[in-house]
Amino acid sequence: MVDMTDGEPLGVAVVGAGYWGPNLVRNFRNARDWALVAVVDLDLARAQEVIGGGTEVLATTDLDEVLAREDVDAVAIATPARTHRVLVERALRAGKHVLVEKPLADDVESGRSMVEAARANGLVLMADHTYCYTPVVQKIRELVEDGSLGEILFVDSVRINLGLVQPDVDVFWDLAPHDLSILDFVLPGGLRPTGVAAQGSDPLGAGKACVGYLTLPLEGGAMAHVHVNWLSPTKIRQMVIGGSRRTLVWDDLNPQQRLSVFDRGVDLVQQSVDIADRAAATISYRLGDTWAPALPEYEALSRMVGEFAGAIRGERAPVTDGAAGLRVLSVLEAAQTSLRARGALVEVATETPSLELIR
Ligand SMILES: NC(=O)c1ccc[n+]([C@@H]2O[C@H](COP(=O)([O-])OP(=O)(O)OC[C@H]3O[C@@H](n4cnc5c(N)ncnc54)[C@H](O)[C@@H]3O)[C@@H](O)[C@H]2O)c1
């Protein structure tokens, strides 16, 4: 293992060389902080193909062989969610820091066990909530944090397109981790809804929800809404965050103007408590400019692997640590309960530590 403090690259192995794993491989390879040591997949040909020729990087199906290596400091796991717990805990037991793809696991109990195991071993456990490392989401967080939006009043997120109907998960587990991890990253205090109500439909008879709506009341009377959908021929990736001072609109499919800030809003100047007197309440509309913040250009995953190295070297929690992954899981699991209860509002487990403690 390398001396964490001397700037020498850290050794990493990527497990899972399917659709997403190759993106991790490319970014670890391009990062000065990292030396790619091995790629592991049950399908050897996939691992070999991702690595390519003319390199000393090991392609193997044998995770134990990789975990036994001294030159592997960390493991990045890009296998299906149902395999995460076993693989993550094996790597932690071998003393390796772990990056795991979203969602952290396929249930809260597994996620909790993984977070505990990392804590007990004094190792970094980080979730790849990729969107949190994009220039646009970093900017949104900055605008929320510096008070530009004022108090958050509502969030409306739409993530719909013609999607692959996944064999093992419904549309909530496939797409909503993105919206939920973004909310966890940008909302003051993280993702802490006072409840979750989920409604889903399966109009084609695929055996799972293909269209889903999540309603998340937030503390202070605000409301977040997430719409995920595999059946929409039009692709929309849009999030509106309405604040008491300004509102922003993020349209991820509009590279010319991904983010717009509206200097407009509604003020309730006077509100009577007496119902009969309600007409006396005065609503005033503020009309101001719309502007587009300048956004730097870089690949989110390059930031993400940098954050992972920084956390290991600095012995600090990454901004998307296991606890963040667990908060997202808690909402997904509560949404499942709500679906079974025909959309009833259900509570979300809140035993995870607050962001203030770990940032
Ligand atoms: N961050 C993102 O934006 C993003 C995007 C897509 C997928 N993902 C996540 O990445 C993970 C993988 O998704 P995918 O679409 O690449 O899946 P995939 O099915 O395309 O690939 C998974 C690979 O893992 C291998 N594998 C399975 N079990 C294994 C094991 N026990 N040991 C070694 N290899 C094993 C399979 O052979 C396969 O090659 C999921 O958690 C998914 O949610 C994240």
Side-chain angles (χ1 to χ4, degrees):
M1 265 184 217
V2 302
D3 175 351
M4 300 301 172
T5 55
D6 71 357
E8 203 186 313
L10 299 160
V12 66
V14 173
V15 183
Y19 165 65
W20 195 250
N23 293 321
L24 297 182
V25 167
R26 179 169 48 78
N27 278 277
F28 280 121
R29 270 186 155 155
N30 290 340
R32 262 185 302 169
D33 275 319
W34 290 103
L36 180 69
V37 176
V39 174
V40 185
D41 199 294
L42 295 176
D43 182 338
L44 183 62
R46 277 194 195 168
Q48 285 168 332
E49 193 188 333
V50 172
I51 292 172
T55 165
E56 299 201 335
V57 176
L58 172 72
T60 179
T61 58
D62 185 354
L63 180 60
D64 286 328
E65 176 194 359
V66 169
L67 293 179
R69 285 179 69 139
E70 278 282 301
D71 58 351
V72 172
D73 300 287
V75 173
I77 292 170
T79 57
R82 65 181 181 283
T83 67
H84 288 178
R85 178 181 182 171
V86 168
L87 294 172
V88 166
E89 293 188 352
R90 269 172 80 186
L92 290 170
R93 275 197 300 275
K96 312 300 182 191
H97 301 282
V98 180
L99 168 77
V100 59
E101 270 310 320
K102 66 86 194 162
L104 187 70
D106 59 352
D107 61 43
V108 171
E109 206 254 310
S110 298
R112 209 177 280 143
S113 163
M114 289 153 66
V115 169
E116 279 310 314
R119 226 175 253 157
N121 288 289
L123 294 163
V124 171
L125 172 62
M126 171 165 166
D128 176 16
H129 290 166
T130 312
Y131 273 105
C132 300
Y133 298 94
T134 57
V136 63
V137 175
Q138 295 270 331
K139 188 70 192 178
I140 292 172
R141 177 170 143 133
E142 196 184 302
L143 292 169
V144 172
E145 210 166 46
D146 72 11
S148 299
L149 301 190
E151 239 176 90
I152 304 299
L153 305 179
F154 68 89
V155 180
D156 196 288
S157 190
V158 183
R159 187 174 301 277
I160 69 176
N161 55 279
L162 276 186
L164 282 179
V165 174
Q166 302 287 333
D168 50 348
V169 291
D170 66 11
V171 71
F172 291 103
W173 283 80
D174 184 37
L175 297 183
H178 293 304
D179 308 271
L180 297 174
S181 61
I182 293 163
L183 291 180
D184 185 61
F185 188 66
V186 304
L187 290 177
L191 182 63
R192 293 175 177 282
T194 56
V196 179
Q199 285 177 313
S201 73
D202 175 21
L204 298 182
K208 63 196 69 177
C210 294
V211 179
Y213 297 89
L214 282 180
T215 308
L216 308 158
L218 306 173
E219 267 170 30
M223 178 81 87
H225 189 260
V226 175
H227 174 198
V228 284
N229 186 331
W230 281 329
L231 306 182
S232 167
T234 47
K235 182 170 178 172
I236 303 177
R237 293 275 183 276
Q238 183 175 277
M239 185 178 280
V240 182
I241 304 184
S244 55
R245 297 184 61 203
R246 296 187 182 87
T247 288
L248 61 80
V249 178
W250 164 25
D251 179 355
D252 207 39
L253 301 184
N254 181 1
Q256 309 300 324
Q257 188 160 335
R258 234 180 261 284
L259 188 61
S260 308
V261 181
F262 291 80
D263 214 343
R264 299 183 212 164
V266 184
D267 291 320
L268 200 56
V269 173
Q270 174 209 331
Q271 187 174 22
S272 171
V273 285
D274 179 359
I275 295 281
D277 223 20
R278 218 138 161 104
T282 317
I283 289 182
S284 78
Y285 295 92
R286 285 175 282 110
L287 292 178
D289 293 338
T290 303
W291 51 284
L295 299 173
E297 286 201 14
Y298 53 79
E299 184 173 355
L301 285 180
S302 70
R303 273 286 169 103
M304 194 277 294
V305 301
E307 174 73 8
F308 189 33
I312 293 170
R313 291 192 202 282
E315 295 180 351
R316 60 176 174 82
V319 289
T320 59
D321 68 353
L326 195 47
R327 283 190 294 277
V328 170
L329 273 191
S330 302
V331 172
L332 288 170
E333 202 166 274
Q336 261 180 324
T337 309
S338 172
L339 271 183
R340 284 194 296 268
R342 297 168 171 262
L345 189 69
V346 301
E347 258 184 67
V348 181
T350 54
E351 81 278 37
T352 57
S354 74
L355 285 184
E356 287 74 26
L357 296 178
I358 57 174
R359 273 190 187 143

